[in-house]
Amino acid sequence: MSSVSITPTQRLAGTVTLPGDKSVSHRFGMFSAIAEGTTHIANFSGSEDCTATLNCMAALGVPIERTADEIVIQGVGKHGLKQPDGMLDAGNSGTTIRLLSGILAGQPFETRITGDDSLRRRPMRRIMDPLARMGAGIVATDENFAPLAISGGNLHGIDYELPVASAQVKSCVLLAGLFAAGETTVIEATPTRDHTERMLGAFGAPVVHNGTRLTISGDAVLKSPGDCRVPGDFSAAAFFLVAASLVPDADLLIENVGINPSRTGLLDVLHEAGLAVGLENEREAGGEPVADLRVRGLHGDRLTRRLELGGDIIANVIDELPILSVFGAFHGGIDIRDARELRVKESDRIALVAANLRRMGVEVIEREDGLSVEGNQRFRSATIDTAGDHRIAMAFSVAALAADGPTEIRDAGCAAVSFPKFFDVLASLRS
Ligand code: S3P
C-alpha cells in the first residue's frame, strides 16, 4: 500500500475488533518456545512485528504451526534452541530484538540479529550493557546499533538498576536471568508494562517483587500453560477512542481489550479531559485483565481542559503520545514533558508529530523531551509523512477524520507493523 486518502466524516459507529496485543503476543511467542510442552495461542497478533518474532523462533529450531484460529508452538525447553543458519531478522520490531537478545545471551552459540533501516538506528547499548555485565559477548555497529553479534552462555546473575524506563530492557535482563547462575534483580524506579512478569509467573517461572526490585532465579524452568488467549491491543484501541471524540455523536463498542493498568493511562487522561469511556464485561484472559470499551462522542462540541503530561505516567502512555497529541490539538491543548524516549521509537516521534501537526495547520512548540500543542485547532487537509512509522500513520488517519478536506497518508501500509486491518476497520465504522 503506498498512500491512502482519508476524507472527513460525520459518522463513526459500530463494533471494533482489534488485533491481539502486540506486547503480549511477542512474549507468548518467545516464552512458549523455551518452555516445556506445547502452547496453543488464540488471537495471536497478525502484525508484521509479531510475525518477525515467530520467524526468529522458527529459525532457532522451534516448531511453530499457524492455523486459522491459533498459533501452536512446540516448546523446546530452556536448552533446546539451535544455532540459526543465517542472521535473524527482527524487521521493524524493537521488542523482538531487545527481548530476544536476552534469550540469545543465554545460549551456548553465537547468533547475529538485525532489523530494518528504522531498527538499525535505534539504541541497543541499553541492552548490551547489562548483558555484558552478566557475561555475554555482544558486538554492535558503532557500539550501539544492530546488527548485533551475540555470543552467549555462562551468564551470572546481577543487580541492575534501569537507566531508562523501558519494559524492553527490563524484560531482556529478566530473560537473560533465566539462563544465569544465581539470581538476577532488575531495579525499576518508574513502573513500565508488566506483561513479562505476569507471563513468566503463568509459565511457572515467578518474578519476585520487592518494592522496586524484580528478581528471577536462574533455576526457573518454564512450563507451558497449554491453551492461552491474547487480549485485544489497548494501544490499537487508543486510535478509536480518540477518533470517537472527534466525530459528532460517534458510538463505538471496542471488544475484548486488554486493560492491564500498566498500559491504560490513556483512559485516565481521557477521563480527566472529560471523555467518558465505559468498561463493560470485565474479565480475565491469560493472566491479563480484559474488558469491552464503550465510547460515545460529543455532540459536535470540544473539550476545553488542557492536558499536562510528565513524570511517571509517560512510560504508561508512551505508545499513545502521538494520538494524544492529536486529541490535545482538537480539544483543549496538551503539554508533554519527560518523553525523550519518543525520539528513539520507530521514528523520532516528537519531530514527526510536530511536523505533521504543523502540516495540518496546528501550532506546536517542539522541545527536546516533548511538545506543547495549542487546543481548539482547525485541521487543514494535508499530506502526512509517516516515515514508515505505524503509529504516526494511524494517529494522523484519525486526525484526518476531522480535517477540512481529504488528507493523504503516505506509506500508509506501515500500519501493518501493528494493525494490518486498521484501514478496513476504520472504513467499516464510517459507512
Ligand atoms: C514494549 C515496550 C515499550 C513500547 C513498545 C513495546 C514492550 O518500549 O514502546 O511499543 O512490549 O515491552 P520501551 O519499553 O522500550 O519503552
Side-chain angles (χ1 to χ4, degrees), residues 375-387:
N376 197 24
Q377 302 276 312
R378 180 162 172 224
F379 292 170
R380 282 205 308 256
S381 124
T383 297
I384 298 300
D385 173 15
T386 61

Side-chain angles (χ1 to χ4, degrees), residues 22-23 27 95 98 126 165-168 193 318-319 345 391:
K22 189 158 79 72
S23 291
R27 288 159 171 82
T95 309
R98 297 204 179 104
R126 53 181 62 193
S166 165
Q168 293 180 352
R193 63 191 67 191
I318 191 76
D319 291 340
K345 292 294 179 187
R391 297 204 197 278

Side-chain angles (χ1 to χ4, degrees), residues 51 73 92 94 114 122 146 153 159 190 201 254 266 317 333 373 394:
T51 303
I73 301 185
N92 190 244
T114 191
R122 296 178 65 187
D159 276 17
T190 304
I254 313 176
L266 173 86
V317 296
V373 183
M394 292 187 276

Side-chain angles (χ1 to χ4, degrees), residues 26-237:
H26 281 302
R27 288 159 171 82
F28 268 132
M30 292 182 208
F31 302 0
S32 307
I34 55 166
E36 292 173 1
T38 300
T39 310
H40 294 251
I41 311 161
N43 203 35
F44 190 92
S45 166
S47 65
E48 290 174 0
D49 269 13
C50 295
T51 303
T53 287
L54 292 183
N55 290 344
C56 289
M57 301 323 294
L60 286 157
V62 180
I64 299 178
E65 196 192 323
R66 304 162 200 236
T67 71
D69 319 313
E70 60 178 19
I71 302 280
V72 184
I73 301 185
Q74 282 176 42
V76 297
K78 253 170 82 171
H79 304 291
L81 296 179
K82 303 251 172 354
Q83 184 170 30
D85 287 336
M87 177 104 91
L88 297 176
D89 186 359
N92 190 244
S93 173
T95 309
T96 305
I97 196 168
R98 297 204 179 104
L99 268 62
L100 191 51
S101 293
I103 294 175
L104 297 176
Q107 306 309 311
F109 50 77
E110 189 187 284
T111 331
R112 287 173 304 129
I113 183 163
T114 191
D116 69 7
D117 291 351
S118 152
L119 192 60
R120 279 187 273 112
R121 286 195 296 267
R122 296 178 65 187
M124 296 299 144
R125 195 79 260 156
R126 53 181 62 193
I127 55 158
M128 293 168 63
D129 283 342
L131 294 178
R133 279 185 49 195
M134 296 176 82
I138 309 195
V139 180
T141 309
D142 293 332
E143 299 183 2
N144 198 11
F145 303 103
L148 307 177
I150 304 177
S151 350
N154 283 327
L155 303 185
H156 52 84
I158 58 169
D159 276 17
Y160 189 69
E161 186 158 359
L162 292 175
V164 276
S166 165
Q168 293 180 352
V169 179
K170 166 177 71 176
S171 304
C172 169
V173 178
L174 290 173
L175 287 171
L178 284 173
F179 298 92
E183 291 189 333
T184 297
T185 296
V186 177
I187 300 145
E188 180 178 60
T190 304
T192 64
R193 63 191 67 191
D194 64 359
H195 305 299
T196 294
E197 299 90 301
R198 285 173 185 255
M199 202 184 289
L200 283 174
F203 275 79
V207 176
V208 178
H209 294 233
N210 187 355
T212 58
R213 296 171 67 84
L214 305 168
T215 301
I216 189 141
S217 163
D219 294 332
V221 172
L222 276 66
K223 297 228 161 52
S224 166
D227 289 341
C228 337
R229 168 166 284 277
V230 180
D233 197 326
F234 182 81
S235 297

Side-chain angles (χ1 to χ4, degrees), residues 264-278:
T264 53
L266 173 86
L267 292 181
D268 304 328
V269 174
L270 294 181
H271 183 77
E272 188 192 318
L275 184 76
V277 178

